[in-house]
Amino acid sequence: MTAAQLLQSVSWCLYVAIFVLVVARVVRLPTRANADITLFFGATTGIILTSTVQTALDLSSAVWLADVAVALLMLLPYLLMRLVADFSHVPTVVIRAIQAAVVVCVVAYVGFWAQLPGPITVLLVACFVVITGYDAWAFMREAGRSVGVTRRRLQAIAAGTLCVGLVLVFAGIGTAAPASAGFWAALGQVAGAVSAIAYFAGFAPPGWLRRLWQQPELDHFLQRAAALAHLPDIQSVVRAIESGVAASFGAPAASVGVWDPASARLRFLTDSTAVEDGWWYVDPHERAASGRAFLRQHPVLVRDLEHEDPADAELYRAFNARAALAAPITSGTDRLGVLVVHADREPLFATGDLELLRLLAQQAATILENRRLVDEAARVHAREESLRMKQDFLSSAAHDLKTPLTGILTQSQMLLRRAELNPAAPSSMDGLQRLLRETRRLKTVVLDLLDAAELEPTEGPMLIREETDLVELAREVSRARPRVTLQAPGPVVGAWDRARLKQVLEHLLDNALLYDRSDNAVIMRISQQPNRVHITVIDQGIGIMPEDLSYLFERFHRGRNVDDRRHAGLGLGLFVSRRIVELHGGRIWAESELGRGSTFHVEIPLAAPGPTASQVSGQPRMGAHA
Amino acid sequence: MPDGPILVVDDDETILLTVAEFLEFEGYSVATASNGLEALGIVERSQPALVLLDMRMPVLDGWGFARAVRERGLGVRILVMSAAADARRWAHEIGAFGVVPKPFELDDLLHAVVSHYPG
């Protein structure tokens, strides 16, 4: 056997092997692309078989066998073109031109009884070369648009097609120049062998090659995945997985359906404003791709979404989603959701894509599982925090109630004892003063507690709105306190609950004075804006720890850096203030720098008094603005 | 046997003054301090017979005071006066002789003082 014969045998074996593999695949997954691939390799195998039979049985005289081989050969460029059209747009003009060219070639061949004159042979070969060249270019172009395994497979196929073109060119030259026919035939054998290898890699890549090719995309996804579980919320995590998967596939979009056991629905993030919480709930039994993959716990390819899921045809058209791949996101036996990639056409290499999607879905399962643990840890932390706050509150309440009570109890007993001992002696003024002071202290604590109970979000106290000058109110409150500087314009009048707002101003000022032991003035600033009034209270006190800022207006909360022996208080003041401000339709917030001081802001709408005041009065129910 | 005054330590002015007034009324000699540090100074100058100690105080609290006293080798009898639910445990922690939970009646206080007063 010569080297050329060996090369030819290798190419032929490879072509036949590819045919066997693609037949097996089309049986498993009968897609149009798989069918066209099978047709193409069926034709090449047909050529190889007829040539082999002819040589083996020495049937050189059986012209009809040679005719079959030539006819199949003439079909090859057309079959390649069909394949190109399966995954990319081929202009109708080009399709028609190629079909016409093939018909003309066959007719010419038959018409001349296989005795083609030289120029016509050259013309035919040229025609084939052009068509094959177009196919190779189309594969290359599509490879440029794809990523990952698909890109590399398309590159291999483009290379194989280019070699088929070379085979034709060399055959043509060999015919035209019989003197060096042997040389060109050998070159043709080499090109044929290379095309066989390239096609094998492209159309039937072995597992190790596929894994090697998809590794970069997988690695890239894994690198991003490590940080995903710690994104602030599940929405961000889902968005990140979706964009990562879309990038790995080179698909315009991917979506993650998160299983919601409570509603037995898959929920998808959506930008649509039609849904309330940003999630779109879907019954898995009503979904072609995502539902089937989730229910069967198996990767699924849906070739024609509109056909399989006509109810949502419009939606699919709107997103130009013709086909879909879906794989379940499952951690152990925990069904977490489903991963879906939409495509504007049926994928060329569905099996490979499904495999990659399955791997990415496994990663998504790990990410979602981690996310669940992160959420669970946060919930436990919040529960502990709320328990700690409650315990702190009980301890503070006990202290703040029992201390003045002790003073009242002992002082009144003391006064009584003195009076019993010497009824004629004058009452102790100091003792009576202390008694009054402690009783007032107790009153403050008790009223705070009652306020907090009354302003519980579940209850519905009413505001008693009346025409109130906030500046005058602020002046009254700040006059009663030392070290307060009021910065205010002229009167700012609104329909507010005067007594409640007074409470807010008092709380804020007392708070500022309590935590600012310097001699610096606490500043209260009032500024009127078009529809609202802005109150600012600025101190230069101990400041608020960043982790306390978000809990500041919660019930029972007191800062971690607050020495509760020095700063008596139940931590109810800011909670009560927040409720009052919210009832007015406003908001309250704080900024602070540890050790430098805090600034509290209150913003409430200017509900102008006048004819509408009676309608406004008492209207906002609790929770309306919460 | 220490023969100094009864030292009352509390950051609440009313309680401090009322308790002091009452004990003087009952015939005891009394010193007062509004935090642990002041109390420590008094303990170093005059050996008090008994210390009535509030726990939660600014500057130096009851625990700090008890530790400082122990470290300096100044043996004092401490009675804890506290509004906390944990008062009994705290008293045990600092090795106090007894507890007078707030709010207390004057008779309760007197009873505790009498039963722990040395001699």
Side-chain angles (χ1 to χ4, degrees):
Chain A
M1 191 187 272
T2 63
Q5 282 170 328
L6 181 69
L7 216 50
Q8 191 182 48
S9 313
V10 169
S11 327
W12 284 9
C13 286
L14 274 174
Y15 268 107
V16 174
I18 299 172
F19 176 63
V20 172
L21 288 170
V22 297
V23 165
R25 192 159 64 208
V26 78
V27 170
R28 246 190 0 263
L29 198 68
T31 64
R32 191 185 136 89
N34 280 347
D36 284 336
I37 293 170
T38 311
L39 275 180
F40 175 72
F41 286 100
T44 52
T45 306
I47 296 167
I48 291 164
L49 281 183
T50 45
S51 309
T52 314
V53 167
Q54 205 170 15
T55 316
L57 302 181
D58 195 19
L59 297 175
S60 47
S61 56
V63 179
W64 62 272
L65 259 181
D67 285 353
V68 167
V70 169
L72 287 173
L73 187 71
M74 287 176 166
L75 273 177
L76 287 185
Y78 168 69
L79 292 174
L80 268 178
M81 188 275 303
R82 276 179 64 95
L83 202 49
V84 170
D86 282 341
F87 62 89
S88 84
H89 176 71
V90 177
T92 320
V93 177
V94 175
I95 296 176
R96 295 281 171 263
I98 292 175
Q99 284 170 341
V102 170
V103 170
V104 167
C105 289
V106 173
V107 167
Y109 183 75
V110 173
F112 285 100
W113 292 103
Q115 302 300 312
L116 285 175
I120 292 192
T121 308
V122 170
L123 209 61
L124 281 187
V125 169
C127 180
F128 279 13
V129 167
V130 167
I131 295 172
T132 317
Y134 171 82
D135 291 339
W137 171 79
F139 280 121
M140 248 356 253
R141 185 192 57 184
E142 210 53 33
R145 289 177 189 162
S146 311
V147 296
V149 183
T150 303
R151 180 198 190 99
R152 288 165 190 111
R153 288 178 72 168
L154 283 170
Q155 285 169 341
I157 293 167
T161 307
L162 204 62
C163 289
V164 168
L166 287 179
V167 171
L168 289 174
V169 170
F170 296 151
I173 298 175
T175 316
S180 54
F183 170 73
W184 294 111
L187 270 188
Q189 300 291 2
V190 172
V194 173
S195 83
I197 293 167
Y199 274 153
F200 192 77
F203 284 110
W208 62 266
L209 190 59
R210 277 208 305 273
R211 280 191 290 278
L212 191 75
W213 276 343
Q214 72 194 12
Q215 205 56 47
E217 273 65 36
L218 208 55
D219 284 348
H220 183 66
F221 184 76
L222 290 181
Q223 271 166 15
R224 296 166 49 123
L228 293 191
H230 295 282
L231 289 177
D233 50 40
I234 182 76
Q235 282 88 343
S236 322
V237 176
V238 166
R239 291 250 186 256
I241 295 176
E242 288 174 345
S243 66
V245 170
S248 296
F249 266 87
S255 49
V256 170
V258 179
W259 178 240
D260 179 44
S263 61
R265 294 284 187 280
L266 285 167
R267 48 188 197 145
F268 291 85
L269 268 184
T270 167
D271 295 326
S272 159
T273 48
V275 295
E276 221 170 83
D277 58 352
W279 293 100
W280 182 47
Y281 288 79
V282 164
D283 184 348
H285 295 278
E286 292 171 1
R287 265 324 118 155
S290 56
R292 219 180 297 159
F294 180 77
L295 293 173
R296 292 184 193 165
Q297 289 292 298
H298 203 277
V300 162
L301 163 71
V302 174
R303 273 174 274 161
D304 189 347
L305 281 168
E306 284 185 28
H307 176 73
E308 303 225 16
D309 192 3
D312 292 303
E314 213 165 301
L315 189 75
Y316 294 132
R317 267 199 295 278
F319 289 97
N320 195 19
R322 190 99 21 98
L325 297 159
I329 300 175
T330 301
S331 166
T333 54
D334 258 355
R335 299 176 173 203
L336 301 177
V338 66
L339 181 59
V340 191
V341 176
H342 288 112
D344 53 0
R345 63 169 61 87
E346 187 181 314
L348 185 60
F349 307 121
T351 319
D353 287 352
L354 279 176
E355 190 180 311
L356 179 61
L357 190 66
R358 194 180 54 79
L359 290 173
L360 293 179
Q362 276 173 6
Q363 289 311 314
T366 312
I367 296 164
L368 289 180
E369 187 64 22
N370 285 348
R371 176 70 215 174
R372 209 156 66 164
L373 294 176
V374 169
D375 282 347
E376 184 56 31
R379 263 197 298 277
V380 169
H381 179 75
R383 261 203 303 276
E384 280 171 356
E385 183 62 19
S386 120
L387 199 67
R388 185 187 75 83
M389 272 160 56
K390 219 167 264 180
Q391 277 166 347
D392 283 359
F393 168 76
L394 284 177
S395 153
S396 303
H399 181 265
D400 290 11
L401 287 168
K402 285 174 176 179
T403 303
L405 201 56
T406 309
I408 292 165
L409 195 59
T410 52
Q411 188 58 51
S412 52
Q413 282 180 325
M414 197 57 226
L415 289 171
L416 198 60
R417 275 175 200 227
R418 279 191 188 284
E420 277 167 359
L421 192 73
N422 184 3
S427 309
S428 154
M429 286 307 288
D430 282 350
L432 286 173
Q433 289 286 4
R434 272 177 231 145
L435 199 55
L436 185 61
R437 197 174 60 211
E438 293 308 305
T439 312
R440 284 198 175 128
R441 219 173 119 187
L442 192 58
K443 175 191 129 187
T444 309
V445 177
V446 168
L447 291 185
D448 263 6
L449 279 171
L450 294 177
D451 264 341
E454 192 195 347
L455 290 168
E456 275 290 304
T458 48
E459 317 253 326
M462 286 184 176
L463 292 179
I464 301 161
R465 288 190 189 247
E466 58 185 315
E467 189 175 314
T468 305
D469 178 359
L470 187 67
V471 173
E472 183 250 312
L473 190 65
R475 201 167 291 133
E476 183 188 322
V477 171
S478 48
R479 250 205 305 269
R481 283 160 180 77
R483 294 202 285 128
V484 176
T485 306
L486 179 65
Q487 301 176 348
V492 177
V493 181
W496 298 308
D497 188 322
R498 185 186 157 85
R500 292 291 195 196
L501 275 195
K502 189 177 173 195
Q503 258 184 300
V504 173
L505 300 184
E506 284 175 340
H507 276 313
L508 291 180
L509 283 182
D510 287 342
N511 227 38
L513 290 168
L514 190 65
Y515 294 120
D516 182 354
R517 291 280 167 114
S518 69
D519 291 327
N520 301 316
V522 166
I523 297 167
M524 176 179 274
R525 193 177 294 149
I526 296 176
S527 59
Q528 186 171 348
Q529 277 145 23
N531 301 314
R532 57 198 199 277
V533 59
H534 190 141
I535 307 160
T536 323
V537 176
I538 306 157
D539 71 57
Q540 295 172 37
I542 58 176
I544 302 160
M545 299 179 85
E547 55 264 48
D548 282 324
L549 264 179
S550 53
Y551 292 106
L552 209 53
F553 299 96
E554 298 289 317
R555 202 168 41 142
F556 306 155
H557 183 77
R558 301 185 71 196
R560 274 158 240 248
N561 59 334
V562 172
D563 177 347
D564 57 2
R565 292 175 293 263
R566 264 176 81 140
H567 307 300
L570 289 179
L572 291 173
L574 289 178
F575 167 72
V576 168
S577 300
R578 188 192 92 196
R579 294 300 307 153
I580 293 171
V581 169
E582 284 174 354
L583 281 171
H584 279 89
R587 62 193 188 107
I588 185 168
W589 70 101
E591 297 158 355
S592 183
E593 200 177 332
L594 210 53
R596 303 288 293 274
S598 309
T599 302
F600 282 79
H601 300 268
V602 171
E603 212 174 65
I604 45 174
L606 279 173
T612 55
S614 60
Q615 293 159 16
V616 173
S617 140
Q619 280 309 301
R621 267 189 66 84
M622 186 67 78
H625 308 285
Chain B
M1 197 51 55
D3 54 355
I6 295 179
L7 172 58
V8 185
V9 193
D10 201 312
D11 63 329
D12 186 89
E13 196 195 345
T14 301
I15 296 176
L16 186 68
L17 294 178
T18 309
V19 169
E21 189 186 359
F22 169 64
L23 291 175
E24 275 168 359
F25 181 84
E26 290 294 328
Y28 293 96
S29 125
V30 178
T32 58
S34 61
N35 62 57
L37 200 63
E38 280 178 29
L40 202 58
I42 294 168
V43 171
E44 280 174 338
R45 280 198 304 276
S46 59
Q47 267 223 317
L50 199 59
V51 178
L52 296 181
L53 182 68
D54 184 23
M55 293 302 286
R56 308 212 294 188
M57 290 179 296
V59 190
L60 184 67
D61 60 17
W63 291 271
F65 169 76
R67 197 183 317 115
V69 163
R70 218 177 19 252
E71 281 166 3
R72 286 167 170 72
L74 306 164
V76 289
R77 292 170 170 245
I78 295 174
L79 278 182
V80 166
M81 301 186 296
S82 172
D86 291 339
R88 209 160 292 281
R89 186 165 55 80
W90 293 354
H92 181 73
E93 275 171 17
I94 65 163
F97 277 59
V99 188
V100 191
K102 289 176 183 173
F104 48 78
E105 308 265 339
L106 288 180
D107 283 341
D108 298 336
L109 181 71
L110 186 62
H111 181 258
V113 167
V114 168
S115 50
H116 291 103
Y117 197 78

